[in-house]
Amino acid sequence: MKKVAMKNALKLTLTASLSLSALSALEFGSMGQVSTSIGGAGVALKQSAWGVYYNPALLAADRRSKVGYSFGAQFREQNLLEALTIDFDELSRIASTLDEKLLGKTSAGGAIAGGAISYKPNGGSTVTVDGILGDVLGDLLKVENGGTLDDKKLQDFAKGLGCGTCENKTGIDTIAKELKEQIEKDNKIGETLQNKLAGAAGKKSPLLAEIVKNIDPKNIGGLISGALNGQTPNMEEILSQVGEITLPRGADSDIDKLIDSFNVLNNTLQSNDLVLSSQNGIVVQVGGRPRTKKIEADGIGELSVQEIDSGRGAVAVAILPQIFAGVSANLDPTHSKLIVEAGGKYIQADITGNGVGLSILTDKTGGLTAQQQFKNSSIMSPNAKHELNATTLALIEVPVGYGHTFFTRAGDVHIGGAVKFMQAFGYRLAETLNFENAEISMPSTTDMISQQTFAVDLGLLYTPFFAKKLNLGLVAKNLNAPHIKMNTGSDIILNRQLRAGVSYELLDFLTIAADYDILPNNTLSVVNKQSQMLGGGIIADFKYVDFRLGAMKDMKSKAGEGAILTGGVNAFGFLDIAFQYGLGENVTLYGFNVSNYMAIKVGGQFSW
């Protein structure tokens, strides 16, 4: 076992998770391009080469010799991949980002574009407010760019708002403090100031205007007081004065990125999961005994020709390398607040309807300090105990199947069975870590448990005498529910699976099919612990090419992939491609917006 130090625990957690060979849920799955492209339906599909996987009874229903090969991958994601793109250092620099956007201060302390006003607080040296905020305050207080704010201008402005006591005060910081106190007593003064400030800001900065509109009017004086506090203004100080500001979406692209990061982090806190799988295989089906004709003579010298069918179906063998696993970061529920340290202060972010609310944590008298609040409740606290859980299961499955037909007056009854030899490799990882200083144990090949086991599948397919183009199928997989041992001492049970299917040949070249999981299947996912698929589609099979289209849905999934569109095309047998694409939630990765569920398979099949 190798220990790896993590500078950023969550980010490396996710990266490490992706290196666990492969990640996905253990479900009924899909094998081959045909079924994959028609909503996963295969239990009653005669023409598929993968009868030994979907339903061994199909080996009796279609006795032709067949060869098929398939390679592919699938992934399902919930609130985890986007977390890989979060710049946690940028989140911690949120106060300095706002300094640049609103106060006109660069990270090096210099001024950026915007107007400037100067003033001299009581007994202090001259202070300059520059940048966008200086520009807005200059317009509001009638101070020209580069001009100086004096007592008279501020007194007149305050008096115009309704602060009668402000004209009796002297000193910029004293007048600003009096204005703030009067606003807290009289909400009308605050509303008047808010409207004037928002109007002035709207000409200079949509971001600042939207922030002003969302400040509680009784706290709006804190924005003026914070800017004219006798020191070089900074966002931490203004936040302390205002209490809380809301960063709106759409006013500034850089702020939008911060909002998106907080939203992703918040969603990850609620629920997260990542699943990937790779199901591959090669199948060979040896044709069963064809119908034969027998000539018989009766006692009076007449001859008759009878068609004889012993019912003997095909035999199939396959090699199916598959990987199933699941990974989830379980964040400490006692440390689930979005609090970041910024310049010695602690800023808490709260998700709102269309933005993020920011507030400065303050020391509570007789209670916890801001630092203690951060350590006791922040997701980024060094005291947090976040957990990484990952399970990987690799299977090399070798099924051998046979099908047989019984002819009855009610119709043809096809039965089949398959015995599956399995070479299994299992590994489970559970680590406790945090953002401050953590290590993750990266697995090596010697950590994985290797073992051999077997499973049994039984299938049934019924073709009614009154509808020879209709097929009704039922399959029970893993009847003996084999156990796979893990390195932690626990077992993974390959649960029994029961699926029904139907197909109907509308025309010689047109077939429809559908499948449904009668029982839900267990998975390796921490969030989506069960799956139950319903899906189907249509096949247009011509001489040299065929087209397929379908849809499917996991009735138990909480990942939000919604309805899954499926499709595929085959050319000349050897070139076949199939896809599945969720129409529900999307994930944005480095500017690309894609579905949180996708699968693709390539391969081919031949029959004769």
Side-chain angles (χ1 to χ4, degrees), residues 45-362:
L45 195 64
K46 285 184 178 181
Q47 57 262 58
S48 172
W50 301 92
V52 70
Y53 178 85
Y54 282 98
N55 184 357
L58 296 172
L59 302 178
D62 187 349
R63 304 175 187 177
R64 294 177 297 170
S65 295
K66 301 178 182 180
V67 173
Y69 50 94
S70 178
F71 308 93
Q74 167 200 330
F75 96 95
R76 174 187 290 162
E77 185 273 348
Q78 184 180 8
N79 302 327
L80 208 53
L81 285 180
E82 281 186 296
L84 280 170
T85 66
I86 294 178
D87 187 339
F88 289 94
D89 291 334
E90 183 63 30
L91 287 183
S92 297
R93 293 193 299 268
I94 187 169
S96 60
T97 299
L98 291 175
D99 278 347
E100 296 177 9
K101 295 292 180 181
L102 303 180
L103 305 183
K105 300 292 183 181
T106 67
S107 57
I112 59 176
I117 62 172
S118 300
Y119 64 92
K120 192 172 184 179
N122 297 357
S125 56
T126 300
V127 176
T128 299
V129 181
D130 48 25
I132 294 173
L133 185 57
D135 206 359
V136 171
L137 289 179
D139 283 358
L140 196 66
L141 300 173
K142 295 182 171 48
V143 179
E144 295 181 358
N145 185 13
T148 301
L149 176 65
D150 56 34
D151 289 4
K152 183 66 168 59
K153 289 179 181 177
L154 186 55
Q155 287 171 350
D156 290 344
F157 175 75
K159 183 180 179 181
L161 295 175
C163 179
T165 60
C166 291
E167 60 182 336
N168 299 323
K169 304 294 182 181
T170 58
I172 300 296
D173 50 334
T174 303
I175 300 172
K177 181 180 179 182
E178 179 67 19
L179 176 60
K180 179 175 181 293
E181 291 176 354
Q182 291 303 314
I183 287 175
E184 292 172 352
K185 295 176 182 179
D186 187 349
N187 204 48
K188 291 183 179 180
I189 300 177
E191 291 175 353
T192 301
L193 175 58
Q194 186 174 42
N195 291 334
K196 287 180 176 292
L197 188 57
K203 302 174 183 178
K204 310 292 182 179
S205 167
L207 173 62
L208 180 57
E210 291 300 317
I211 287 176
V212 169
K213 291 176 183 178
N214 285 284
I215 296 176
D216 189 329
K218 70 179 181 181
N219 295 329
I220 197 69
L223 187 58
I224 301 294
S225 180
L228 306 177
N229 65 353
Q231 302 173 359
T232 302
N234 59 62
M235 187 48 60
E236 296 99 315
E237 177 63 30
I238 292 177
L239 266 176
S240 298
Q241 295 282 345
V242 173
E244 181 179 6
I245 65 172
T246 297
L247 298 181
R249 182 182 296 278
D252 184 275
S253 59
D254 292 331
I255 297 300
D256 284 351
K257 292 178 182 178
L258 287 174
I259 293 173
D260 289 340
S261 294
F262 276 118
N263 277 320
V264 168
L265 194 54
N266 185 61
N267 291 335
T268 304
L269 281 169
Q270 309 307 317
S271 179
N272 64 81
D273 196 27
L274 176 62
V275 292
L276 298 168
S277 67
S278 180
Q279 289 187 274
N280 313 287
I282 299 175
V283 62
V284 176
Q285 180 173 311
V286 180
R289 183 172 180 176
R291 295 173 184 264
T292 58
K293 293 183 179 181
K294 179 181 179 182
I295 301 177
E296 292 185 346
D298 57 18
I300 58 176
E302 293 184 353
L303 299 177
S304 63
V305 179
Q306 297 181 356
E307 191 172 50
I308 300 175
D309 193 334
S310 66
R312 192 179 79 189
V315 175
V317 60
I319 300 177
L320 312 176
Q322 306 168 74
I323 305 175
F324 307 88
V327 62
S328 177
N330 298 327
L331 303 177
D332 188 343
T334 65
H335 290 75
S336 59
K337 294 184 178 180
L338 304 178
I339 303 174
V340 297
E341 183 179 3
K345 294 185 181 291
Y346 298 90
I347 298 178
Q348 179 167 324
D350 296 296
I351 305 301
T352 64
N354 192 37
V356 172
L358 300 179
S359 58
I360 290 282
L361 293 184
T362 58

Side-chain angles (χ1 to χ4, degrees), residues 257-482:
K257 292 178 182 178
L258 287 174
I259 293 173
D260 289 340
S261 294
F262 276 118
N263 277 320
V264 168
L265 194 54
N266 185 61
N267 291 335
T268 304
L269 281 169
Q270 309 307 317
S271 179
N272 64 81
D273 196 27
L274 176 62
V275 292
L276 298 168
S277 67
S278 180
Q279 289 187 274
N280 313 287
I282 299 175
V283 62
V284 176
Q285 180 173 311
V286 180
R289 183 172 180 176
R291 295 173 184 264
T292 58
K293 293 183 179 181
K294 179 181 179 182
I295 301 177
E296 292 185 346
D298 57 18
I300 58 176
E302 293 184 353
L303 299 177
S304 63
V305 179
Q306 297 181 356
E307 191 172 50
I308 300 175
D309 193 334
S310 66
R312 192 179 79 189
V315 175
V317 60
I319 300 177
L320 312 176
Q322 306 168 74
I323 305 175
F324 307 88
V327 62
S328 177
N330 298 327
L331 303 177
D332 188 343
T334 65
H335 290 75
S336 59
K337 294 184 178 180
L338 304 178
I339 303 174
V340 297
E341 183 179 3
K345 294 185 181 291
Y346 298 90
I347 298 178
Q348 179 167 324
D350 296 296
I351 305 301
T352 64
N354 192 37
V356 172
L358 300 179
S359 58
I360 290 282
L361 293 184
T362 58
D363 294 342
K364 297 180 179 179
T365 304
L368 300 176
T369 65
Q371 185 181 48
Q372 288 172 329
Q373 295 174 62
F374 169 79
K375 289 185 176 180
N376 289 353
S377 58
S378 172
I379 182 179
M380 302 179 75
S381 166
N383 298 335
K385 295 182 179 179
H386 306 306
E387 293 182 354
L388 167 65
N389 292 290
T391 302
T392 301
L393 176 63
L395 292 175
I396 300 176
E397 189 176 316
V398 182
V400 178
Y402 169 72
H404 196 89
T405 301
F406 295 93
F407 302 100
T408 71
R409 292 184 177 181
D412 297 344
V413 179
H414 314 280
I415 63 171
V419 177
K420 303 182 294 186
F421 166 80
M422 295 179 178
Q423 179 72 47
F425 303 87
Y427 183 82
R428 179 168 286 161
L429 175 70
E431 292 282 346
T432 300
L433 36 81
N434 58 55
F435 283 76
E436 182 70 16
N437 183 23
E439 291 182 333
I440 181 172
S441 301
M442 297 298 293
S444 64
T445 54
T446 57
D447 297 322
M448 302 190 77
I449 302 297
S450 174
Q451 67 178 101
Q452 298 175 351
T453 186
F454 75 96
V456 177
D457 298 345
L458 290 178
L460 173 69
L461 189 74
Y462 172 57
T463 304
F465 75 95
F466 57 85
K468 291 295 185 179
K469 295 184 178 182
L470 175 66
N471 301 286
L472 304 173
L474 183 68
V475 65
K477 294 170 68 73
N478 303 327
L479 286 174
N480 56 320

